[in-house]
Amino acid sequence: MKNVCVIGAGTMGNGIAHVFAQNGYSVSLVDVSQDQLNKAMSTITKNLDRQVSKNAITAQTKESALKNIVTHTSLATAVKSSDLVVEAATENLNLKLDIFRQIDENATANCILASNTSSISITKIASVTSAPERVIGMHFMNPVPVMKLVEIINGYATKKEVTDNIINLSRQLGKIPCVVNDYPGFIANRILMPMINEAIYSLYEGVAGVEEIDTVMKLGMAHPMGPLQLADFIGLDVCLSILNVLHEGFGNPKYAPCPLLVNMVTAKRLGIKTGEGFYDYAQGSKDLIVSEAFKK
Ligand SMILES: NC(=O)c1ccc[n+]([C@@H]2O[C@H](COP(=O)([O-])OP(=O)(O)OC[C@H]3O[C@@H](n4cnc5c(N)ncnc54)[C@H](O)[C@@H]3O)[C@@H](O)[C@H]2O)c1
């Protein structure tokens, strides 16, 4: 594999493009928004600069990584010469089905089709393509350049050669792959999201404040971030989409999203990406300042 196409240049897409480019792959980064592509390139440059300043990579690696990335707004053009497509667009079923129909029409027969979805069924995504055996989940964690895990999800029809290929590729990127089967939320989010939802319910019911909830989980459970801070980091819209998939997929009310989460998403308080969630990021994300809405 040499040519990789990454679709979606948001939080995850820019990290995925960064990691492939740093490891010598030619990357075509696609988004519907040119503005988002420009933002992604400046984020990648900033993150590579940070790696250089920490002596994690050389200035030369940074330069060649940046040269390895070409941006596109046309999916059809970008996908054509790719050996692997990693889709990292917005977490929405119909959007992803539409993207996979387009990839299927434009990619070569040997191209592997991967999705970075957090929760949407790989089997369902594969069902709109002409060759479901080449479709797989390649679930990177946020922030991609830092986090070691790649959760690999086998769809119902995924061929063993495809899984083996993605396992080897993940290792080449310096990641640790872990293979799971295709059920709602897979493993990572089936376990993480109910915890985040429970933290939001605890806040909603007045059991404790934002700081107290996060402090209990950080100091008591040795979590590097509290669940509310993590939700802001992931994006509250992404958390809500995943909970809806778990709720519908299992038909179990224990996954129903907390009404406070639904309200915050409706009000566009999505966490770091909109500047406010449980915390206020007007001054950046280094110092944790509880959002005005949750100050006692
Ligand atoms: N945020 C996380 O922590 C996290 C972690 C793991 C996986 N994921 C998954 O990664 C995917 C992307 O999430 P994100 O947080 O980066 O979202 P995001 O909102 O930051 O970015 C999504 C990007 O997709 C683009 N997009 C929308 N429609 C498109 C289309 N038709 N073609 C090309 N680009 C399109 C948008 O313009 C946007 O730039 C989702 O499936 C999400 O579940 C997210």
Side-chain angles (χ1 to χ4, degrees), residues 6-14 16 30-33 36-37 72-73 75 87-92 95-96 98-99 102 115-120 138-144 189 230 233-235 237-238 241-242 273:
V6 179
I7 298 177
T11 312
M12 295 305 287
N14 81 62
I16 296 168
V30 184
D31 204 289
V32 281
S33 147
Q36 195 69 8
L37 286 167
H72 298 262
T73 47
L75 182 148
E87 171 277 319
T90 312
E91 186 77 346
N92 173 292
L95 180 89
K96 289 198 193 279
D98 189 42
I99 289 175
Q102 289 181 57
S115 175
N116 183 57
T117 178
S118 302
S119 62
I120 294 172
M138 193 175 189
H139 184 201
F140 289 88
M141 302 292 133
N142 184 14
V144 184
N189 284 306
L230 181 56
F233 186 69
I234 293 169
D237 52 339
V238 177
S241 300
I242 299 170
K273 66 178 152 188

Side-chain angles (χ1 to χ4, degrees), residues 26-41:
S26 298
V27 178
S28 299
L29 180 59
V30 184
D31 204 289
V32 281
S33 147
Q34 183 59 47
D35 191 38
Q36 195 69 8
L37 286 167
N38 298 343
K39 258 196 224 154
M41 289 311 295

